Amino acid sequence: MIHVISYDISDNRRRTKVAELLIREGYERSQFSVFIGRRHPQWKSKLWPKLQTIVQPGVEDGDRLFVLRLPAESLKKRETVGTFTADVDWLLGQRHTLLITGAKNAD
């Protein structure tokens, strides 16, 4: 199962907390406020409650977070304009190591 998570959060601090949490839990940023990843094994018990504490739908502008659950095979049928940066082989379970590119050498 794949999750596509998007959000509209006006507060920089809360928006950053959501992004950092999703990255820490293995989701890849696809666009500024869109993440994609394999369903987290503790989605209901751990990740979802954390997201609910950060996102505040009752504030003036009304934070919003949207989760779309898709079968992994649906990624094979995607259509894109521009670059799709997510590692599809990893998301489909065809590769068991996530490759991270663009890292700078500390030397």
Side-chain angles (χ1 to χ4, degrees):
M1 185 68 61
I2 298 294
H3 280 174
V4 177
I5 303 172
S6 66
Y7 52 83
D8 183 9
I9 300 172
S10 59
D11 181 76
N12 289 337
R13 188 172 155 269
R14 288 194 312 273
R15 188 174 53 246
T16 299
K17 285 178 85 171
V18 168
E20 289 173 350
L21 174 63
L22 292 172
I23 290 168
R24 190 171 52 247
E25 296 298 336
Y27 288 83
E28 292 184 66
R29 179 174 256 142
S30 175
Q31 296 179 6
F32 288 116
S33 296
V34 179
F35 287 77
I36 187 168
R38 291 189 218 172
R39 183 179 186 275
H40 190 280
Q42 296 176 327
W43 173 257
K44 285 288 189 188
S45 65
K46 180 182 174 189
L47 188 53
W48 184 245
K50 285 183 180 179
L51 289 169
Q52 288 179 307
T53 62
I54 299 169
V55 176
Q56 297 181 7
V59 298
E60 184 177 330
D61 291 335
D63 292 355
R64 292 176 291 280
L65 184 130
F66 176 80
V67 180
L68 180 63
R69 295 177 185 98
L70 300 170
E73 291 298 311
S74 64
L75 284 177
K76 290 182 179 179
K77 300 175 184 174
R78 73 189 181 281
E79 296 180 30
T80 61
V81 175
T83 305
F84 184 72
T85 59
D87 187 339
V88 175
D89 289 338
W90 180 78
L91 290 168
L92 292 173
Q94 296 171 348
R95 180 177 35 241
H96 300 289
T97 303
L98 176 62
L99 301 176
I100 301 173
T101 60
K104 293 183 180 180
N105 192 349
D107 294 330

